[in-house]
Amino acid sequence: MDQALQELHGSGIATEGRQLLDIGCGDGIISLGLLRRGDLGSVTGIDIVATDTAFLDHEARRHGVDPVAPDDALTFVRSAPDTAPFPDDSFDLATAWSVFEHVTEPRPLLRDVLRV
């Protein structure tokens, strides 16, 4: 997750207060870390498998990171393959960490990510 933050900040893209979509968030640890260690306004993680927040909280504590709180600007959404189930222009930024090697046909997903 530190590498993800370095990539975002190193790209010259402003992140402060922005809404980030984390595609293929898996266990959510990167989503949580981006919110906790970055300056983003909110992070929404999506995956085709529901995020196990009990496991995420356990891993967060194990790594010295505050677990997910009810009032966090962090949400997780289970999505169908190749879709981002949000209205147009819902996010400022999107990231995907080790995702597209698992996507058989990335174009539909990339189109939907661009839309949101």
Side-chain angles (χ1 to χ4, degrees), residues 19-39:
Q19 286 70 48
L20 175 88
L21 176 63
D22 185 15
I23 304 152
C25 66
D27 63 12
I29 198 73
I30 291 176
S31 302
L32 179 61
L34 288 169
L35 183 67
R36 292 282 185 266
R37 294 187 179 170
D39 57 359

Side-chain angles (χ1 to χ4, degrees), residues 26-29 32 50-61 67-69 74-77:
D27 63 12
I29 198 73
L32 179 61
T51 301
D52 182 348
T53 54
F55 173 78
L56 175 58
D57 287 346
H58 175 267
E59 288 299 297
R61 286 186 189 97
V68 179
L74 176 66
T75 55
F76 295 103
V77 175

Side-chain angles (χ1 to χ4, degrees), residues 74-86:
L74 176 66
T75 55
F76 295 103
V77 175
R78 185 172 180 193
S79 65
D82 304 331
T83 63
F86 306 100

